Amino acid sequence: MHPLDELVLLFEQHQNPENAIPMKAYMKNHFEFLGIKATLRRELFNRWYAQNKVSIQHNFRTYTVALFAQPYRELHYCGMELFYKAVKKKYSPEDIQHIEHLILTHSWWDTVDFIAKYLLGGYLQQYPEAIPRVIERFSAAPSLWLNRSGLLFQLGYKAQTDFDLLKAECFKHKDSNEFFIQKAIGWALRDYSRFNPNGVREFVENTKLKPLSKREALRNLP
């Protein structure tokens, strides 16, 4: 049996229709769920990964795409976590196309936020020279999920955040009426406020942000 078929079968054997109902509702009924909660999902995934490590490491990009093509949300989570685990922060230049595909496939905040922070953020740390080109393209795209990813990719950068770039992206999208964009602006600024509270406060006070963005940005500041 193919390793991917083994994983699907393993998950189907542990499905819980009772859990699936509220899990589906929480995601606004956008996706089907098997009803496998995070702790068990990761336990099953790690068991499968250990048993198929060689095959996965040779084919993880293909496996990721195949898992995102599955109907169940838990398998989409496995796909993005598999990529992150298998790539081991050693991206190839072409992986940006792969990352963009994942952002645009079955898009919702629960996958996009992980991909933006851990995959896109990791890729652009390895290839910083690509940041202007990639973020400009994502920022100008018609997809709100690419826009959101361009706002959030520096979440793991801490004090190394390019604040000028963050401010430019926030300013570019400040008039958006999309909830997920307004929230992302606030989240990105709030995260960086741990390292530069005065800079964030000054930017917020001098920029006409939407109320949600402003409230989120200043939440942790006195």
Side-chain angles (χ1 to χ4, degrees):
M1 184 181 293
H2 191 280
L4 286 177
D5 294 330
E6 291 179 7
L7 181 62
V8 173
L9 179 60
L10 181 63
F11 271 48
E12 289 176 341
Q13 290 171 341
H14 288 83
Q15 64 184 299
N16 186 324
E18 187 175 331
N19 287 342
I21 295 171
M23 293 170 75
K24 184 177 179 179
Y26 184 64
M27 290 300 160
K28 306 296 184 183
N29 296 310
H30 287 301
F31 311 104
E32 295 299 323
F33 281 83
L34 289 163
I36 302 173
K37 294 188 176 180
T39 300
L40 177 58
R41 183 188 84 236
R42 292 192 178 103
E43 179 185 316
L44 296 173
F45 170 78
N46 288 334
R47 185 197 312 170
W48 169 81
Y49 191 101
Q51 293 171 348
N52 296 278
K53 192 170 183 179
V54 174
S55 176
I56 292 167
Q57 289 178 341
H58 282 92
N59 302 283
F60 70 89
R61 294 175 177 86
T62 302
Y63 282 17
T64 299
V65 171
L67 286 169
F68 263 74
Q70 291 287 330
Y72 296 111
R73 197 57 166 169
E74 291 95 337
L75 293 171
H76 304 161
Y77 299 152
C78 287
M80 65 188 189
E81 291 168 0
L82 181 153
F83 187 97
Y84 180 67
K85 187 171 183 174
V87 78
K88 294 180 179 177
K89 299 183 179 180
K90 295 180 180 178
Y91 296 87
S92 69
E94 297 76 22
D95 278 333
I96 188 59
Q97 300 166 18
H98 192 83
I99 292 166
E100 183 173 352
H101 173 78
L102 298 183
I103 291 171
L104 293 173
T105 304
H106 299 300
S107 308
W108 200 243
W109 65 264
D110 54 332
T111 53
V112 169
D113 292 358
F114 180 97
I115 296 164
K117 178 178 179 180
Y118 294 104
L119 302 185
L120 179 62
Y123 175 90
L124 292 174
Q125 279 186 313
Q126 184 173 327
Y127 298 108
E129 68 280 2
I131 289 176
R133 171 174 47 84
V134 170
I135 298 306
E136 182 178 354
R137 184 164 59 83
F138 278 27
S139 182
S143 166
L144 75 91
W145 300 111
L146 290 177
N147 302 161
R148 182 174 168 97
S149 298
L151 286 160
L152 297 180
F153 81 96
Q154 296 191 87
L155 284 177
Y157 288 19
K158 301 180 180 180
Q160 302 304 312
T161 297
D162 182 339
F163 190 32
D164 287 336
L165 175 59
L166 175 57
K167 288 188 292 185
E169 288 303 299
C170 291
F171 191 84
K172 191 179 298 182
H173 296 287
K174 67 182 177 63
D175 296 321
S176 173
N177 290 319
E178 290 284 357
F179 169 84
F180 288 110
I181 297 300
Q182 294 179 21
K183 191 84 169 180
I185 289 171
W187 182 13
L189 290 169
R190 183 178 73 249
D191 184 74
Y192 183 60
S193 73
R194 295 179 294 157
F195 307 97
N196 186 357
N198 294 332
V200 169
R201 183 182 295 281
E202 181 181 1
F203 175 73
V204 172
E205 288 177 349
N206 290 284
T207 306
K208 193 175 181 180
L209 299 176
K210 294 286 187 178
L212 174 60
S213 298
K214 184 174 182 178
R215 186 167 63 249
E216 288 291 322
L218 298 177
R219 188 196 298 176
N220 294 339
L221 294 178

